[in-house]
């Protein structure tokens, strides 16, 4: 199933060894064969259909003054972008694998305060690293430069 983290207010979130985002190829709502019949089910208040790949719009969404520390995680198959920062939000990535997302990073209204991506992160199958020319106030992105050159 698709999963995402939304941090707001003054939240401080630590993620370790998680898989965030979605499953399968972006834009492909292709049924996968399961032993269960294809039918609508109600799970935790949301309606889902067996056999369809799920995608989160954003893997990590950070706003207000929230901080998210992402360690040893995979952020994949997000239909919009892997990381979305806005306001005074901050995201720190270490030893992460960011792959198969439509866009790597988006800086929304207020741009975000910090995006720190350590050089031990890997980036694969990211057609566009940034949504547009907006950038967080402070960025440390050695891993992005390495990924684009490699």
């Amino acid at each position: 199933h698709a999963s995402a983290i939304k941090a707001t207010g003054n939240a401080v979130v630590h993620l370790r060894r998680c898989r965030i985002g979605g499953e399968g190829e972006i834009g492909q709502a292709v049924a996968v064969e399961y032993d269960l019949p294809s039918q609508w089910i109600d799970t935790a208040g949301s309606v889902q259909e067996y056999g369809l790949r799920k995608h989160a719009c954003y893997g990590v969404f950070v706003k207000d003054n929230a901080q998210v520390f992402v360690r040893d995680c995979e952020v994949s198959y997000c239909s919009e972008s892997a990381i979305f920062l806005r306001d005074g939000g901050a995201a720190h990535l270490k030893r992460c694998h960011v792959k198969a997302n439509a866009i790597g990073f988006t800086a929304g209204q207020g741009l975000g305060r910090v995006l720190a991506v350590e050089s031990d992160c890997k980036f694969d199958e990211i057609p566009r690293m940034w949504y547009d020319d907006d950038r967080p106030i402070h960025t440390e992105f050695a891993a992005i430069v390495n990924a684009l050159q490699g």
Side-chain angles (χ1 to χ4, degrees), residues 76-99:
S76 58
Y77 303 110
C78 298
S79 60
E80 296 295 326
S81 66
I83 310 292
F84 186 103
L85 290 172
R86 60 169 287 170
D87 307 319
H92 308 267
L93 283 71
K94 182 174 178 63
R95 292 186 306 272
C96 291
H97 190 188
V98 180
K99 71 172 196 172

Side-chain angles (χ1 to χ4, degrees), residues 43-131:
T43 306
S46 67
V47 177
Q48 301 181 12
E49 186 174 356
Y50 282 120
L52 292 182
R53 294 184 176 120
K54 316 303 189 288
H55 301 284
C57 290
Y58 306 101
V60 178
F61 185 97
V62 188
K63 65 181 269 190
D64 303 325
N65 291 310
Q67 297 182 63
V68 177
F69 297 87
V70 186
R71 304 288 186 262
D72 302 304
C73 293
E74 176 183 298
V75 184
S76 58
Y77 303 110
C78 298
S79 60
E80 296 295 326
S81 66
I83 310 292
F84 186 103
L85 290 172
R86 60 169 287 170
D87 307 319
H92 308 267
L93 283 71
K94 182 174 178 63
R95 292 186 306 272
C96 291
H97 190 188
V98 180
K99 71 172 196 172
N101 295 288
I103 297 169
F105 304 100
T106 300
Q109 182 178 2
L111 304 179
R113 187 177 70 240
V114 174
L115 172 63
V117 180
E118 299 200 17
S119 61
D120 52 5
C121 292
K122 287 177 43 180
F123 292 84
D124 294 312
E125 302 173 57
I126 310 287
R128 288 177 37 205
M129 199 55 72
W130 288 94
Y131 175 74

Side-chain angles (χ1 to χ4, degrees), residues 13-27:
V13 178
H14 292 267
L15 303 172
R16 292 180 188 247
R17 300 179 62 185
C18 298
R19 182 166 181 252
I20 305 164
E23 53 193 11
E25 296 179 39
I26 301 251

